[in-house]
Each structure stands twice: as structure tokens, then as C-alpha cells.
Amino acid sequence: LPALLAVFLAAPLAHAADRPGVVIQVSDNDPAKWNLALNNANNLISALGGPDKVEVEIVAYGPGLAMLKDDSVVGERLGDASSHGIALSACSNTMRAQHVTEAELHAGVRTVSAGVLEIMQRQREGWSYIRP
């Protein structure tokens, strides 16, 4: 891990905040995958020195959207993630297809037009991509 961290920190920063950005994809309705994604996000923030040192966004689409709903089994962890600066993004395309409203999402979840597009845009901005 230290060698990977050194490579990551040495990479040029391409987005405006001049701090590394990491986008994490979750497209599975699997609490274990969600817990892994949330652990990855928290571990990155800790390893890099806090939320002011790295931007982290978890993007959910397809079956993964279920974990961003207010009644999700990982709901309590979502609140913790938001309070630690982790952005949680839900795909509007998936919401329409699954007939999910914003009112059904956990507090603090934002919507994006398309989850895949959000990930693609973040990568174009120089963000690293992780899919647990």
C-alpha cells in the first residue's frame, strides 16, 4: 500500500481543487460491496490526511441504487460517509427506470443525470476510478 500511495500522490492533479479525486462505482445491490466501497472511501480519506486532502465520490447506478435509498441496510453508514465529506451520487436514469423518487433517497444523496457519464466526466477531470 505505501508504494501505491506514493505513486498516487506523485501523479499530476488535473482538477480545479488541486487535490486528488477518487470516484467509486457501485452498481451491485450487495451490502458487502457497499461496505467495501465505504471502507475504501474512509481508508483513502484517513491515509491522505482528511477530507480536505482528497475528494471522494461514490456513484450508484443500476442495482446499486437500492443501497442509496433511505431504508437501505447501509443507511447508517451513508450518513457517516456524508458527514466525512464523501459525496454520494444517484443515477437519475436508474431512478426513472426503477420508479425511485428523490424523496426515497437517503438524506445527502445528490442526483446526477447518468451514473456512467458522471464516472466518465470525473475520469476526464483526472480523478482515479475504483470499482470494488
Side-chain angles (χ1 to χ4, degrees), residues 8-21 53-54 125-128:
F8 179 70
L9 291 173
L13 302 175
H15 63 286
D18 281 342
R19 60 186 173 147
K53 303 291 185 193
V54 62
E125 295 170 359
W127 288 44
S128 298

Side-chain angles (χ1 to χ4, degrees), residues 2-132:
L4 280 175
L5 197 54
V7 169
F8 179 70
L9 291 173
L13 302 175
H15 63 286
D18 281 342
R19 60 186 173 147
V22 178
V23 61
I24 301 173
Q25 171 190 328
V26 183
S27 53
D28 301 300
N29 184 7
D30 178 356
K33 289 260 176 115
W34 265 96
N35 280 312
L36 181 57
L38 291 164
N39 289 344
N40 288 165
N42 285 322
N43 290 342
L44 276 169
I45 289 171
S46 292
L48 294 174
D52 58 326
K53 303 291 185 193
V54 62
E55 291 183 70
V56 179
E57 178 180 6
I58 299 176
V59 178
Y61 64 89
L65 179 69
M67 291 293 137
L68 287 182
K69 291 172 84 176
D70 197 37
D71 60 356
S72 166
V73 296
V74 294
E76 187 173 312
R77 292 208 61 202
L78 296 176
D80 290 342
S82 290
S83 71
H84 289 103
I86 298 168
L88 303 169
S89 300
C91 173
S92 293
N93 288 334
T94 300
M95 290 174 64
R96 274 190 299 281
Q98 295 181 8
H99 308 288
V100 174
T101 66
E102 286 189 40
E104 294 175 83
L105 297 177
H106 193 278
V109 173
R110 71 182 190 111
T111 60
V112 295
S113 62
V116 173
L117 179 60
E118 179 73 7
I119 292 167
M120 193 173 110
Q121 288 173 330
R122 292 299 189 193
Q123 287 183 292
R124 284 181 49 194
E125 295 170 359
W127 288 44
S128 298
Y129 166 79
I130 297 173
R131 181 169 192 243

